[in-house]
Each structure stands twice: as structure tokens, then as C-alpha cells.
Amino acid sequence: MAVVLNWNGTDVPEELRKLPEGRYVLESVDALPVLTAEQEQGLDEAIASLDRGEGVDAETVFRRVEGRLRR
């Protein structure tokens, strides 16, 4: 589950108040890492394959991931 919140640096945001008790990891989406040239190329190739209709539906992806996690 992802929760996007805006924080003014002082007050506790309402989005945090609504979360159940537990441990959380927060990471700023404003400080995204820079991709390497290889990562950029990989994304470009993936987008091109989707544009050619070579994509896989989400159900197939989930089955493949579950299969690998069970190994």
C-alpha cells in the first residue's frame, strides 16, 4: 500500500494519522535517483516492445512472480 502525502516539515499530515499502527519507511519522491545509461536504454526498449504489442497482461506477470517466489 502506498500513501502519498505532502508535509510542511512541522505538522503531522492527515494521511499519517489515518494509517494503522505499525512500522513504516518514508522516502521522498522529490529526490529520485538518476538512472544509468543502461537503465534508460532498458526502459526505452521496454516501451518500444509494448508499443509493438509484445506486452504481457498483469495476471500472467503475477503468476510468473509467484512461481519464482515459491522456489
Side-chain angles (χ1 to χ4, degrees), residues 16-31:
L16 286 178
R17 295 176 196 268
K18 293 178 182 177
L19 292 174
E21 182 178 327
R23 296 177 63 192
Y24 294 88
V25 174
L26 298 176
E27 184 174 355
S28 173
V29 295
D30 295 329

Side-chain angles (χ1 to χ4, degrees):
M1 168 181 75
V3 175
V4 178
L5 58 93
N6 291 304
W7 186 42
N8 64 12
T10 304
D11 302 312
V12 176
E14 186 62 31
E15 295 89 349
L16 286 178
R17 295 176 196 268
K18 293 178 182 177
L19 292 174
E21 182 178 327
R23 296 177 63 192
Y24 294 88
V25 174
L26 298 176
E27 184 174 355
S28 173
V29 295
D30 295 329
L32 297 175
V34 176
L35 297 177
T36 66
E38 292 82 15
Q39 291 169 325
E40 287 276 357
Q41 180 181 353
L43 287 174
D44 289 340
E45 290 171 6
I47 291 168
S49 73
L50 291 173
D51 288 343
R52 291 190 302 270
E54 299 172 355
V56 178
D57 62 89
E59 185 177 323
T60 302
V61 172
F62 289 129
R63 276 198 315 267
R64 289 178 183 175
V65 169
E66 286 177 345
R68 289 185 181 195
L69 291 175
R70 289 184 183 149
R71 291 184 189 171

